Amino acid sequence: FQPLMPDLHYYYIVELSFYWSLMFSQFIDVKRKDFGIMFTHHVLAVTLITFSYITNLTRVGTLILCLHDSADIVLEAAKMANYCKCQKLSDLLFLTFAIVFIVSRLGIYPLWILNTTLFELYEALGNFPALWVLNVLLMVLQILHCLWSYLIIKTAYKAISKGKVAKDARSDVESSSDEEETVPRSKAPHSTVATNGTSGANGTNGYLTGGTCSEEH
């Protein structure tokens, strides 16, 4: 009984298109340790968005999308700062992302969203098949949140103990800025080709590698 407003309709279309694109682009992006988790999340996101739209549970769907976007914005800003060699800004943004992620996905999501779908929605509308499907998908999403939180806390702990974000805990492929600085410029091969993260020693998602190259494999 929730009317679908035009702005919510277009918001759903944009988000659905975004997660469909991530599902395919992941295969040509940098290979990370959480590849399986990421792919599962993308499939789950597409299923949840489609399912909530079809069943007209758009209010809870919109809240979940906004909750996820709030942390993703800070994460992308931290990545851009890292690519621009602004290490202090990147570290600050990453720690901000860690706080926003944990508060939103381990605090607000289970205590507000899951509490509503598991208990309040059942009391208001009773039992129906779509409710069980929705709750199972949302619980799987919460499990992924817990796995990611472990990786984020692990990286944040290294950042606090060492004074900077040393390396993405999810990956052994993409090199970080502090590793690049340890290689003398005169000994490092110069690359003139922008790689997509699947070839070269430290190709970073189409980012021009520049004059330094990590020796770590």
Side-chain angles (χ1 to χ4, degrees):
F1 306 105
Q2 301 171 6
L4 180 64
M5 306 301 293
D7 51 350
L8 293 184
H9 166 76
Y10 290 115
Y11 184 42
Y12 258 73
I13 295 300
V14 170
E15 291 284 351
L16 184 61
S17 303
F18 173 68
Y19 282 108
W20 267 114
S21 67
L22 289 181
M23 188 184 303
F24 291 107
S25 65
Q26 186 181 8
F27 291 97
I28 59 174
D29 203 346
V30 179
K31 298 295 182 182
R32 300 185 184 276
K33 293 178 181 179
D34 66 341
F35 177 88
I37 301 177
M38 286 294 296
F39 184 75
T40 302
H41 173 267
H42 299 335
V43 174
L44 189 63
V46 170
T47 305
L48 271 171
I49 293 173
T50 305
F51 182 79
S52 63
Y53 186 90
I54 293 175
T55 57
N56 204 36
L57 296 171
T58 54
R59 184 175 300 172
V60 64
T62 303
L63 289 175
I64 295 174
L65 289 173
C66 291
L67 201 64
H68 282 67
D69 290 342
S70 61
D72 291 343
I73 292 173
V74 185
L75 175 62
E76 298 303 327
K79 288 182 180 180
M80 289 189 291
N82 182 49
Y83 295 152
C84 294
K85 309 302 179 184
C86 301
Q87 190 63 44
K88 291 184 178 180
L89 178 60
S90 177
D91 295 344
L92 178 61
L93 288 172
F94 178 79
L95 293 177
T96 303
F97 158 74
I99 295 174
V100 174
F101 186 96
I102 293 174
V103 170
S104 61
R105 305 195 189 188
L106 295 186
I108 299 176
Y109 179 81
L111 297 179
W112 185 20
I113 303 296
L114 290 183
N115 180 65
T116 298
T117 59
L118 288 174
F119 304 106
E120 296 178 358
L121 190 59
Y122 176 80
E123 295 177 358
L125 300 179
N127 188 17
F128 56 99
L131 180 62
W132 288 96
V133 176
L134 176 69
N135 284 325
V136 169
L137 294 175
L138 294 181
M139 291 298 295
V140 174
L141 185 60
Q142 179 61 19
I143 295 175
L144 298 180
H145 290 166
C146 294
L147 295 176
W148 269 315
S149 296
Y150 167 76
L151 297 176
I152 292 172
I153 292 174
K154 182 178 179 180
T155 305
Y157 174 77
K158 292 181 179 179
I160 295 174
S161 60
K162 296 183 180 180
K164 66 189 299 185
V165 178
K167 187 177 181 181
D168 192 340
R170 302 174 301 155
S171 176
D172 284 333
V173 178
E174 182 179 1
S175 56
S176 58
S177 59
D178 62 325
E179 290 175 332
E180 292 173 350
E181 292 171 357
T182 61
V183 182
R185 181 175 295 272
S186 60
K187 296 181 180 180
H190 180 72
S191 174
T192 58
V193 181
T195 64
N196 193 36
T198 56
S199 61
N202 69 335
T204 308
N205 199 19
Y207 184 75
L208 187 62
T209 57
T212 58
C213 177
S214 173
E215 297 295 335
E216 179 183 1
H217 297 278

